[in-house]
Structures are given as C-alpha cells and as structure tokens.
Amino acid sequence: AYVTLHSGDNCGNNLNQLDVIDITTLTAPSLIKTYRFKRPMGLSVVDKTLYLCDEGVKTFDVTDDNRIDQNMLSQITGFETYDIIAYDKGAQRIIMVIGADGLHQFDMTTPTAPRELSRIQVKK
C-alpha cells in the first residue's frame, strides 16, 4: 500500500512523506520504506506505475518499492495539485488531476511523455 502524509499549512509538523507498507497480512502491516517529498497529497497506482501529487504530478515506476526515488519517469509542473485518479481507457492510460485551478486530464500512455488532453478551469 502507498500512503502520503503531509504537514498541511499550520500544524507545525514536518511529515511530508510517502510510506510504502506491506499489507500481505492485514492484521500486521509493516513499513517497507519512507520517501521524503515536499508536500505529497493524492496518489493513484495502476499496474506498477505510481502517480503522485507533489510539486505538480510525479510519475514513478514502482516495480521495486525500495528504489522508487530512483525511478521517476516524469514530472508535470506549473500548477498546485491535490488529488489524482488514474485509469486505463482501452490502450490509453489517462490521469485526472484536481488542482487549485481546476480539473486536468493527461494522456499517460507513455509515462515519460505526458500529454495534456483537457483542462476545466475553476475560479475561486
């Protein structure tokens, strides 16, 4: 399992991390590894690809849970992100990302070359 913890804005803690947890035995989960990030929030995993909201969207190959930080495939920057949903649409992989400015869709079929498909802007 993959879990993000972040300090938020005013709570004073310094927990900004992705935890990888072995849940093979549900009654006795165990921490595999912790990775530090700037401010991780939502995430989604499809097959062995992790999409993480942190300084935009970071994409990782998670084939080896002990080397995630060494296997970043791409990063989409330029907007603040909160949550992400990834899914396969036939031969195409899509991610939907909620950010401060609205909803973005990206084609992630080639994870090293994300391509924005659409954006619905939201103004506060």
Side-chain angles (χ1 to χ4, degrees), residues 26-115:
L26 292 176
T27 56
S30 62
L31 180 65
I32 295 173
K33 189 155 184 173
T34 295
Y35 296 95
R36 302 284 176 212
F37 285 95
K38 184 171 182 179
R39 190 170 182 257
M41 294 186 83
L43 64 85
S44 189
V45 179
V46 177
D47 297 327
K48 290 292 184 176
T49 305
L50 167 71
Y51 304 95
L52 176 66
C53 293
D54 181 63
E55 299 180 293
V57 176
K58 295 177 179 175
T59 304
F60 297 90
D61 177 335
V62 292
T63 303
D64 182 349
D65 287 327
N66 289 297
R67 297 174 49 115
I68 291 173
D69 58 340
Q70 298 173 36
N71 292 308
M72 189 162 81
L73 302 171
S74 64
Q75 182 175 6
I76 305 166
T77 60
F79 62 110
E80 184 178 355
T81 56
Y82 305 130
D83 205 0
I84 188 165
I85 298 169
Y87 68 97
D88 287 335
K89 182 181 176 187
Q92 189 178 34
R93 171 132 337 136
I94 305 292
I95 60 171
M96 294 185 298
V97 182
I98 294 292
D101 64 345
L103 172 69
H104 300 253
Q105 281 192 103
F106 293 91
D107 180 343
M108 297 300 290
T109 305
T110 304
T112 55
R115 185 174 59 90

